[in-house]
Structures are given as C-alpha cells and as structure tokens.
Amino acid sequence: MPNLYRLIRPLVFCLDAERAHNLAFWAGGLAQRFPLSDPKLEPNLAVAAFGLRFSSPLGLAAGLDKGAQLLPLWKAMGFGHVEIGTVTPRPQPGNPRPRLFRLPSEGIILNRMGFNSEGAEVVAARLQQRPSGLIVGGNLGKNKDTPEENALADYTAAYRLIAPEVDYIALNVSSPNTPGLRNLQTPKALKPLLSGMLDLRKELGLEAQPLLLKLAPDLALEELDAITEVAVSSGISGLIATNTTLDQSIVTVKNQDKVQAWGQGGLSGRGLAAKARAVRLRLLQALKGRLPLVACGGIGSAEAVAEALKDGAVLAQLYTALIFEGPELVGRINQELRHSMRTEPSRPVF
Ligand SMILES: Cc1cc2nc3c(=O)[nH]c(=O)nc-3n(C[C@H](O)[C@H](O)[C@H](O)COP(=O)(O)O)c2cc1C
C-alpha cells in the first residue's frame, strides 16, 4: 500500500507548522466521524504496567492532543496509550505565534507553545466521551500567571477535574516554556508538591491510580539521583523521561544558526535520542527497580522502542517521529515489535 503521508508530506510541510497541525486535527476530526477499524494487535504485544494493561508498549507522548480531541483516532492507529495535555487548571492561550518550527532534514521540532490549554473543565467534559480499550493519561501543568510558590494549588485544581476521567496522571514539571516550571524539579520544591498530590489522591479515593512525574533531559546526573530518591520515598508510581531539551547542541552544526534564529524553545526528535537515553539509563540505575520508568525522547522506530524496553523501561512514548513519518509509523512499529518479540526468546517479562 502506498504511504499516503509520504505523498502529501511535502505539501503539509509547505505550511507553517502550527497551521499544518490545525489542518491535521481538522482532518482527524472528520475521519473520526466515520467508524474506525480496530487496530490489529496481537496479545503478545500487551504490557502490564502500573497495574494497567496496555495493548502495546508504545504510547503517544503529551502535547499533541492537549484537549483529548482525537482519542478514537489514536486508538485506531495502534497506540497502547495516549497522554493528553498538558492541561492547565484555567484556560490560557499559550505563547504568541510563531511557536512551532520543524527541521525535517534532522527530524527535529522546536516548540515554545507555552501550554495553550482549553482548561481542565472543558477537557474533563470531553473525556467523558473517551473510547474504551485505550489507556488515557492526563498530563497536568500550572497556568503561566500562577507564581511558582502556588504551583501545588494549580496542580490540585487540575487533578480534581481530570483525574476521575483518566487512567493515570503525569505531573509535568519539565516543560521549558513556562517560566520557572522546571524549578519544581529541585528536591526542595518537589517534596511538598508530590506529598500534596498524594494526599489529594487519597482524599479523592484514587489511591490505585498511578501518579507519574515527567522529567527534563537537562538535569545533571547528580540531580537525577536526588530526584529519584525524592520520587521513591514520596510514594509516587513512576517516572517519565524525558521532555524536550534546551540544549541546541543536539542540532548539527550546519543548522544551529537556523535553529537559534527561531528563538527559545524545547527541542525534540531524532537528535534528542542519545541525551534522553543517557538520562533514562541514569534514572534506571538509581531506581534499582523501585519504580517503573516510561521512556520518551527521540524514539521513532521499533528498534528504539525495543532498546528502551531492554534498558528497563516499561513503556515508550513518541511525538516528533509521528509528525515526520505519519500515522503509518505506529502500525509499523507494532508489527516489527511483534516480530521481534516472537523471535526474541529473551524478551523482558512485563
Ligand atoms: C509541539 C510539542 C508540544 C509539546 N507539548 C508538551 C506538553 O504540553 N506537555 C508535555 O509534558 N510534553 C510536551 N511535549 C514533549 C513531548 O511529550 C516529549 O516529551 C518530547 O517531545 C520528546 O519526545 P519526542 O522526541 O518523541 O517528541 C511537546 C513536544 C512537542 C514537539
């Protein structure tokens, strides 16, 4: 079958990146009005993690479907889970445009979206129509105008609305596009944030619902060790590593001027893979199996997913590769994983 996305990609990439995104969402919304076929998944692709059953180890990372608008479509593509959000408690427009840029020759995206969000109330209402058979995570953040010291109040406000509608929650303290957000990763700020969220989880009777923490790739190795200890002793359920990077050296030298001219933002995609892997290996080493970890950052093939699982991650997520490769990528990865799992006797037991 011809790869339709490959054919139309040059046209799509002529458009400004955010226009192309909006067009794709419009088309996706239309496609969803028709009955979508279920993805052909084999049971041996299923993964158990955090007490949940995922039909595939591959999930869609946060930031693409911030408002939970295309869940049936992601399910039909073959994703085992989708992380919606980041959702902020109150609606906010995000940063001024342009705020999304593509570097196709390197499979890299720079974004400074800044948590454009319809707000937790609207997204929670939409989640009531969510399809069955797809694990949905809710990624939460704080509003831009909320001072850092009041961050907990924002996370709790969003949690109250979103948590009852999803299977797991991810606390995003690692986006580079909300000033001060990454400071919440320091042990001093992280401890009260995590214990506050766990108290709320208990208050709402959601103790069984996994609560994950999503980290940046720009932390020093010692910081990763310290964060690991805080995370383990807090009693949260796991980590997601990583978010986008501020490190422009992941771009090849010949394109660095171009990327610099785009201005501030987080980089994702192929060039992030090595950095994200180094972070996850350090975290896995520090965790010593005490908490599960979800791998993210520069993953774009079955080999990369298999490598992440072999490293010790329980699941893998991607975003940027989908923009460059198109929807067929998901089925292709699932199919190749299925083959490798069939032929690989030392497949990790989930
Ligand atoms: C345009 C864009 C928007 C993003 N928005 C969010 C977000 O709202 N919340 C979040 O936790 N991560 C967000 N991310 C980060 C991704 O979830 C992911 O962690 C990162 O892009 C690395 O994975 P990738 O290389 O597969 O894209 C965003 C990424 C991109 C490219």
Side-chain angles (χ1 to χ4, degrees), residues 61-64 66 83 85-86 100 109 111 113 115 139 172 174-175 214 242-244 267-270 272 296-299 317-321:
L64 185 52
K66 290 179 190 275
E83 196 167 301
T86 293
L100 183 61
I109 285 179
N111 95 83
M113 300 302 289
F115 292 170
N139 178 303
N172 181 6
S174 47
S175 165
K214 183 166 176 182
T242 70
N243 212 311
T244 57
L267 292 161
S268 58
R270 221 185 296 151
L272 174 59
C296 185
I299 291 173
Q317 299 181 330
L318 60 77
Y319 178 157
T320 302

Side-chain angles (χ1 to χ4, degrees), residues 206-230:
L206 293 170
E207 290 100 325
Q209 185 182 74
L211 180 67
L212 312 183
L213 182 68
K214 183 166 176 182
L215 298 172
D218 302 324
L219 294 154
L221 297 180
E222 307 74 48
E223 288 178 297
L224 295 173
D225 295 343
I227 290 170
T228 300
E229 292 315 312
V230 173

Side-chain angles (χ1 to χ4, degrees), residues 50-187:
F50 311 108
L52 298 168
R53 184 189 178 277
F54 297 75
S55 60
S56 161
L58 181 64
L60 178 63
L64 185 52
D65 196 356
K66 290 179 190 275
Q69 289 177 293
L70 295 181
L71 296 177
L73 198 70
W74 309 128
K75 182 186 166 191
M77 267 181 214
F79 282 115
H81 76 281
V82 172
E83 196 167 301
I84 61 122
T86 293
V87 185
T88 55
R90 286 167 287 115
Q92 65 175 30
N95 287 324
R97 297 183 197 188
R99 52 190 181 176
L100 183 61
F101 306 86
R102 291 175 300 239
L103 188 59
S105 61
E106 297 195 29
I108 281 177
I109 285 179
L110 180 142
N111 95 83
R112 53 168 170 278
M113 300 302 289
F115 292 170
N116 50 311
S117 174
E118 296 171 282
E121 223 171 279
V122 170
V123 179
R126 197 174 288 130
L127 280 166
Q128 285 174 7
Q129 314 293 325
R130 58 176 277 198
S132 61
L134 173 74
I135 298 289
V136 178
N139 178 303
L140 308 182
K142 75 168 193 68
N143 281 105
K144 186 181 179 184
D145 60 6
T146 300
E148 233 169 282
E149 57 275 17
N150 296 345
L152 175 61
D154 265 21
Y155 285 96
T156 55
Y159 187 94
R160 282 182 189 278
L161 291 161
I162 300 293
E165 312 298 338
V166 293
D167 300 302
Y168 76 85
I169 289 287
L171 301 176
N172 181 6
V173 290
S174 47
S175 165
N177 301 313
T178 294
L181 191 83
R182 285 181 164 198
N183 295 339
L184 297 171
Q185 293 176 120
T186 58

